[in-house]
Amino acid sequence: MTVDSKIAGEFCGMLLPAKKIAIVGHHNPDGDCIGSLTGMKAWLDSLFGGKEPVKVSTLVPNHIPYYLMFMDGADSVVLYSDNPDKATSILEEADTIICMDLNDLARTEEMADIIRKSAARKILIDHHPFPEKFADLTVSETEVSSASELAWWLICEASLKTGTEIPVECKASLYTGMMTDTNNFCNSVFPSTFLMASQIAEAGIDREKIQMEIMNSFSEERMRLMGLMLKDKMTVYPDLKAAVLVLDQETKDKYNYRDGDSEGFVNLPLKIRDIEISALFTQGNGYIKVSLRSKGAVSVNRLCRLFFNGGGHERAAGGRLYDKPIEEVADYFEKSLRLFLGGFSA
Ligand code: 5GP
Ligand code: MN
């Protein structure tokens, strides 16, 4: 995977006149979102370094999970939920808006309308199928591990054109984003992904620290919650080759749940040989968060679009349920999957 030199040229052409750049990610930001945002900001700061000051801001709709806060620049990301006035004025004043790791502007929640109305030059850098056409420049690829990897190839090409040095903070962030989105080199890994990893490994980033922060820094409560989920909260449907995990509010309270504590839980049932589809339902404020994974031919992206008010990738998708009690979601999942596998399409 490489980014076409012409696209990188357009990207540089759009950036050069910029004075105020806003980089925007999606609701419930994950590692790829924060990695691509902070990595792009570190690179832009290097691109514009020493010249007339260019203000580069990073924004997401809501809270960043604690286990991502070790990344350089994560603590300066503006959260719309906590600071709507500041976020709005950054977006309204921006002359250039870069959206990353989203294919649907609605995933920026309340920021979507402001971005849509803005006269700023807009750039989308994303790896999901069917990107919404709202940007002046769309850099979109699905044959790539993550938005962070796509940003890496774009930044490499753009650095050659502009003679920019890629700072180590940029490399560490993009590496972290790629590593989290591939579930530590397990899913959506392409030959180019290893090439990126190898190029960045040579740059002297602290891979052991990143590995440790992401993979081996569970709290005791999070670890025990994981055990409980597998022991008591998992239902297996052998004939559907599916398994469901349900995380209710009472359990969350009991284990002092923090955002991000259930990260990766949805992958666990796929470790069972004959399970090909896994679902995690998490009770939250006003809706139930849905996470779906597939390790076979079933498109959870389509399943999610049809039954769970969401979407995503073929093998990793998410959505929301607004009107179902938590006790009924496993049944609803079973019925939906039966319809889906029976050929139902809306
Ligand atoms: P996760 O299950 O890790 O929250 O999300 C997996 C993937 O599903 C994400 O990378 C994203 O592409 C997609 N996704 C998650 N939640 C939503 C949602 O509410 N709406 C849409 N359209 N996609 C989502
Ligand atoms: Mn993401």
Side-chain angles (χ1 to χ4, degrees):
M1 145 90 229
T2 47
V3 167
D4 191 71
S5 162
K6 196 169 146 272
I7 290 183
E10 277 180 54
F11 178 61
C12 296
M14 286 174 76
L15 291 176
L16 291 180
K19 292 280 169 277
K20 288 185 178 173
I21 304 178
I23 317 174
V24 186
H26 61 75
H27 187 252
N28 288 344
D30 55 9
D32 190 27
C33 175
I34 300 303
S36 57
L37 256 60
T38 57
M40 181 57 75
K41 175 174 162 54
W43 182 75
L44 289 172
D45 285 343
S46 171
L47 172 73
F48 294 115
K51 302 194 194 101
E52 216 183 311
V54 173
K55 175 109 180 90
V56 182
S57 309
T58 45
L59 304 103
V60 292
N62 66 335
H63 187 236
I64 303 173
Y66 64 91
Y67 72 95
L68 297 174
M69 290 312 292
F70 76 96
M71 275 194 257
D72 259 302
D75 53 0
S76 2
V77 178
V78 177
L79 312 185
Y80 183 96
S81 55
D82 293 10
N83 232 327
D85 296 342
K86 182 173 177 188
T88 303
S89 65
I90 291 172
L91 287 172
E92 285 177 348
E93 287 168 21
D95 53 39
T96 310
I97 298 177
I98 307 176
C99 292
M100 301 185 80
D101 194 28
L102 53 96
N103 59 348
D104 179 352
L105 206 46
R107 298 214 66 219
T108 66
E109 302 275 311
E110 282 100 333
M111 293 191 279
D113 265 353
I114 311 171
I115 297 172
R116 241 182 259 287
K117 283 186 194 133
S118 157
R121 292 177 289 278
K122 291 167 202 156
I123 299 168
L124 173 65
I125 301 170
D126 182 48
H127 69 126
H128 296 89
F130 314 118
E132 183 183 342
K133 290 186 174 53
F134 68 89
D136 303 292
L137 174 65
T138 300
V139 185
S140 165
E141 269 294 334
T142 52
E143 299 286 292
V144 65
S145 63
S146 52
S148 296
E149 186 190 329
L150 185 56
W152 171 251
W153 298 121
L154 178 64
I155 282 174
C156 285
E157 200 65 36
S159 297
L160 286 177
K161 288 188 186 296
T162 52
T164 308
E165 193 168 324
I166 308 179
V168 71
E169 294 80 7
C170 166
K171 291 173 178 167
S173 280
L174 296 183
Y175 183 89
T176 308
M178 172 274 285
M179 202 198 105
T180 53
D181 237 34
T182 58
N183 186 18
N184 204 18
F185 296 91
C186 278
N187 317 120
S188 311
V189 178
F190 294 84
S192 62
T193 315
F194 292 115
L195 189 60
M196 168 194 184
S198 149
Q199 290 175 353
I200 292 186
E202 283 176 0
I205 61 156
D206 193 344
R207 275 180 299 134
E208 230 171 82
K209 177 175 187 309
I210 297 173
Q211 187 79 16
M212 150 74 200
E213 293 283 357
I214 298 290
M215 307 301 297
N216 301 331
S217 56
F218 277 37
S219 63
E220 182 181 338
E221 280 168 324
R222 180 179 177 190
M223 194 72 192
R224 292 196 185 280
L225 174 64
M226 189 167 103
L228 176 96
M229 293 297 292
L230 294 177
K231 183 171 156 292
D232 292 341
K233 305 283 178 180
M234 181 170 77
T235 310
V236 173
Y237 303 94
D239 65 318
L240 292 170
K241 297 184 188 291
V244 175
L245 297 166
V246 178
L247 177 50
D248 54 67
Q249 192 59 48
E250 197 185 328
T251 307
K252 283 167 82 174
D253 293 343
K254 199 166 154 200
Y255 286 81
N256 285 320
Y257 180 90
R258 292 189 288 167
D259 284 345
D261 272 354
S262 58
E263 184 63 35
F265 286 9
V266 66
N267 295 310
L268 295 171
L270 295 182
K271 290 185 181 290
I272 303 170
R273 181 181 291 275
D274 291 326
I275 295 300
E276 296 196 353
I277 304 159
S278 165
L280 167 68
F281 294 95
T282 310
Q283 193 169 15
N285 285 339
Y287 62 88
I288 292 167
K289 162 94 183 83
V290 183
S291 269
L292 299 178
R293 297 291 184 271
S294 160
K295 72 177 187 207
V298 174
S299 163
V300 286
N301 176 23
R302 285 194 58 229
L303 182 62
C304 223
R305 280 169 185 257
L306 285 170
F307 296 100
F308 299 100
N309 307 303
H313 306 280
E314 293 304 278
R315 290 180 160 190
R320 293 173 184 187
L321 288 174
Y322 292 98
D323 53 359
K324 294 261 177 300
I326 192 76
E327 300 76 27
E328 289 176 18
V329 291
D331 270 3
Y332 176 72
F333 174 81
E334 184 194 357
K335 289 194 179 94
S336 307
L337 184 57
R338 277 193 201 288
L339 278 172
F340 186 73
L341 296 177
F344 173 88
S345 61

